[in-house]
Amino acid sequence: MFRTRANFASVGPPAAFKRLALAVFLMAASAQAQPPEALIRSVETEKVAALTGPEAPGEMRRPDICGTDIGTMAELGGRIYFAFGDTFGYRGEECPKFGPNWRSNVLASTGDHDPADGIVLQQWLTGSRGSAVAMTEGAHQPAFSGEQTRIPTAMIAVEDRLYVHYMSVHGFAAQGGVWSCNFSRFLYSDDLGESWREAEEVFGDAEAGFNMLALAAAGEGQDRYVYAIGTPCGRFGGARAARVAPNAILDSGAWEYFTGDGWSGERGEAGEVIPEPVGEGSLVWNEGLGRWLYSYLNEHSAALELREALNPWGPWSEPVTLATAGRFPQLYGAYMTPSFISTDGRTVYFVMSQFGPYNTFIMKATLGLE
């Protein structure tokens, strides 16, 4: 929104001219605040294949991946990396929901860039016994007594370094979509995910509106930034935008926040860019369409929704429905990555979770532009 320094009470042009000038100014300001005309008019979505669990095409027994969720992605060195959330193993030949070998998060990667027939996860971060291990393990304390778990919310590759942002969950409430956090923090790896270190600083405290992030990079040279769309813990808050220089991701004081008028170093001045309720989000540039896409769960509509914008901070279009709980019960998460988008931008594959089978799935979205 523009601001004017004009003093319309001072001596100047006739009143009619002043009123016309003000009207033109306000129309220009309003146009600047409006999102562009949406390109995406409809979406057709179908399930392609399981990504994790007993129905997945990749080997799940050795890494002991019976059930998991989330599946946020980053691309580095010709591989796609996947960070999953709470993960549970097999009990003998059985794959029980929330079974043994609870890990707060696990990491996999693949050189398979063609999701049309599913994705085979080829490598896992593993321990001495060969099963997948956590990048940073949660305390697994009872809900609301300390730390229940540590769940990845976003991952990004910048130069040769992988970053994962995670939330330390204080406890999940009985009501779906409600949980509280202790803090959020970044992890980073300089050896393609073989080992991980924790940032010295906490990124978000318990009340932060940026405890869950979607991350992407854009721009060139000195104007290149890593952008974040952030929400508070749970699925009922609104989304806000932030940015930081790529070499300063771990410095919480270097981040700037979009106020609606510009950028501020004060997190409390961040303005809402997408109204509540916004669940787990994902941000990606769609080269074919020339638009940013942001996907998230709307708990009120029980649907994954998709918005588009010319800039990561918006203004964002009205949402279109990406998938509904009516077709895919207990769905959440719609994580995107550039390799999963067709050259013309009209086909977008993504990773979706379902709480019922408690696993992740490769989904195909065909975007209708007519």
Side-chain angles (χ1 to χ4, degrees):
M1 182 180 294
F2 293 121
R3 292 177 178 172
T4 178
R5 297 181 181 274
N7 181 358
F8 287 96
S10 62
V11 177
F17 178 82
K18 290 187 289 185
R19 287 194 297 270
L20 176 60
L22 177 60
V24 171
F25 170 82
L26 291 175
M27 285 190 293
S30 176
Q32 285 290 323
Q34 298 303 312
E37 182 178 358
L39 297 177
I40 304 168
R41 304 303 175 90
S42 63
V43 182
E44 294 184 6
T45 302
E46 60 187 282
K47 183 178 286 187
V48 176
L51 176 63
T52 55
E55 304 300 321
E59 170 60 43
M60 297 289 140
R61 284 281 187 168
R62 181 167 178 76
D64 203 22
I65 309 295
C66 170
T68 190
D69 73 347
I70 301 301
T72 181
M73 292 171 280
E75 302 188 28
L76 179 64
R79 299 187 69 80
I80 304 175
Y81 291 81
F82 298 75
F84 298 101
D86 285 317
T87 301
F88 301 88
Y90 291 83
R91 182 178 291 123
E93 295 299 314
E94 297 182 354
C95 178
K97 188 172 182 178
F98 306 131
N101 195 15
W102 177 13
R103 292 140 289 173
S104 288
N105 48 78
V106 294
L107 180 78
S109 70
T110 185
D112 184 357
H113 286 66
D114 183 8
D117 58 352
I119 290 290
V120 175
L121 297 175
Q122 300 164 337
Q123 294 181 357
W124 296 83
L125 175 64
T126 59
S128 59
R129 296 183 179 181
S131 64
V133 296
M135 294 171 284
T136 176
E137 191 60 89
H140 296 176
Q141 296 171 328
F144 305 107
S145 67
E147 181 181 70
Q148 193 169 5
T149 190
R150 295 182 172 187
I151 297 180
T153 76
M155 181 162 52
I156 190 171
V158 179
E159 296 182 351
D160 293 328
R161 175 175 283 184
L162 284 168
Y163 296 88
V164 167
H165 175 269
Y166 75 87
M167 57 181 172
S168 168
V169 177
H170 184 50
F172 288 97
Q175 179 184 349
V178 176
W179 63 86
S180 63
C181 285
N182 300 304
F183 59 86
S184 70
R185 191 189 299 267
F186 278 96
L187 304 171
Y188 62 98
S189 173
D190 292 321
D191 55 9
L192 301 178
E194 291 295 323
S195 62
W196 292 86
R197 298 177 65 183
E198 297 218 13
E200 294 182 2
E201 300 178 47
V202 164
F203 183 73
D205 61 23
E207 303 301 322
F210 290 84
N211 265 322
M212 300 172 65
L213 303 181
L215 295 169
E220 300 292 339
Q222 292 184 347
D223 292 326
R224 185 166 176 79
Y225 290 96
V226 169
Y227 289 93
I229 304 295
T231 58
C233 277
R235 295 174 178 159
F236 294 98
R240 291 167 171 79
R243 70 180 186 183
V244 71
N247 62 355
I249 292 173
L250 302 180
D251 180 1
S252 60
W255 285 77
E256 297 178 313
Y257 301 89
F258 187 64
T259 66
D261 292 324
W263 297 92
S264 168
E266 297 296 326
R267 181 175 290 176
E269 296 182 3
E272 193 172 78
V273 296
I274 296 175
E276 59 183 33
V278 180
E280 298 90 333
S282 179
L283 177 68
V284 72
W285 172 250
N286 185 320
E287 181 70 28
L289 299 186
R291 298 290 171 96
W292 287 93
L293 302 182
Y294 181 71
S295 57
Y296 60 96
L297 173 66
N298 183 329
E299 277 277 8
H300 290 171
S301 64
L304 299 176
E305 295 182 343
L306 185 68
R307 294 179 186 250
E308 60 183 91
L310 295 177
N311 296 296
W313 58 92
W316 289 92
S317 69
E318 291 298 309
V320 293
T321 299
L322 187 58
T324 67
R327 288 189 62 199
F328 308 105
Q330 297 179 298
L331 81 179
Y332 60 102
Y335 293 96
M336 303 174 290
T337 193
S339 285
F340 283 11
I341 301 176
S342 63
T343 303
D344 64 5
R346 295 178 179 233
T347 302
V348 177
Y349 291 87
F350 62 95
V351 176
M352 182 188 77
S353 295
Q354 285 183 274
F355 190 75
Y358 195 68
N359 263 303
T360 62
F361 301 86
I362 298 294
M363 306 293 291
K364 178 184 178 181
T366 302
L367 309 182
L369 308 186
E370 303 300 329

